[in-house]
């Protein structure tokens, strides 16, 4: 076996990447999403990665752009320690209200019901150790501002990058442009993950 090859023993099954544990409120959030016809929550494998990345930032400051009904929020909270804090931003008040009902009692999370682009333009607080951009602002718009808010050693994560048959050509081109832009940045180390919904993880250098 060479350094660029891997071997799978004969008869071995596929590697099971199902999350070993899930947030306590995840089932209720999924039920609420189905009832509301909301189909844009993050994949549970992405959620498991979010929890792991949050756990790597004790006392960390975390930003989620695009609360949705709160499934990603629940995963982040599940990984955070007691001193960490999460700000999650969502344009659709009614959708975010689901997350507020299920998760709002947790003092580690602050919900912001506002256009993500407007919030990014006006935020003047400290940077974040983890930024998860799960909506257009911070990903396809206001990218520079979102990246500016990543602290040294911090992580920027985006999902939903794997091509889908229902994508218009304009969106495929937008994703390609986004990948080239982030991967061409000075001061960030990036990795594409052909996994879950298609991810890109970028870490800001401390140098």
């Amino acid at each position: 076996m060479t350094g660029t090859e891997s071997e799978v023993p004969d008869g071995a099954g596929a590697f099971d990447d199902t999350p070993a544990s899930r947030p306590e409120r995840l089932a209720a959030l999924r039920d609420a999403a189905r009832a509301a016809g909301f189909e844009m929550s993050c994949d549970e494998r992405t959620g498991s990665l979010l929890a792991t990345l949050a756990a790597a930032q004790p006392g960390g400051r975390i930003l989620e752009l695009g609360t949705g009904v709160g499934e990603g929020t629940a995963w982040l909270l599940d990984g955070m320690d007691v001193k960490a804090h999460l700000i999650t931003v969502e344009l659709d008040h009614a959708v975010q209200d689901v997350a507020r009902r299920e998760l709002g009692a947790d003092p580690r999370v602050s919900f912001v019901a506002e256009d993500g682009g407007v919030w990014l333009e006006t935020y003047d607080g400290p940077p974040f150790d983890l930024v998860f951009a799960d909506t257009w602002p911070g990903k396809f718009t206001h990218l520079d501002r979102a990246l500016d808010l990543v602290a040294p050693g911090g992580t920027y994560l985006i999902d939903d990058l794997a091509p889908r048959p229902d994508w218009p050509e304009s969106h495929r081109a937008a994703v390609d442009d986004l990948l080239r832009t982030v991967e061409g940045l000075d001061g960030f180390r990036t990795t594409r993950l052909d996994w879950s919904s298609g991810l890109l993880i970028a870490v800001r250098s401390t140098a």
Side-chain angles (χ1 to χ4, degrees), residues 45-109:
R45 290 171 295 168
T46 298
S48 181
L49 177 61
L50 288 172
T52 300
L53 292 173
Q57 299 291 347
R61 293 182 49 79
I62 299 171
L63 172 64
E64 179 185 37
L65 297 166
T67 312
V69 298
E71 290 189 38
T73 311
W75 282 106
L76 287 165
L77 290 169
D78 201 50
M80 289 161 51
D81 71 3
V82 295
K83 294 184 178 180
H85 189 75
L86 167 66
I87 296 175
T88 182
V89 184
E90 171 62 48
L91 173 63
D92 190 327
H93 293 226
V95 168
Q96 194 188 65
D97 279 347
V98 175
R100 288 178 183 269
R101 287 196 302 271
E102 295 294 335
L103 305 172
D106 193 320
R108 299 173 299 163
V109 59

Side-chain angles (χ1 to χ4, degrees), residues 8 107 136 153:
V8 178
W136 280 66

Side-chain angles (χ1 to χ4, degrees), residues 53 57 128-132 150-151 153-157 201-204:
L53 292 173
Q57 299 291 347
F128 296 90
D129 302 297
L130 171 60
V131 174
F132 175 45
V150 180
T155 298
Y156 171 79
L157 179 70
I201 186 168
V203 175
R204 182 184 286 280

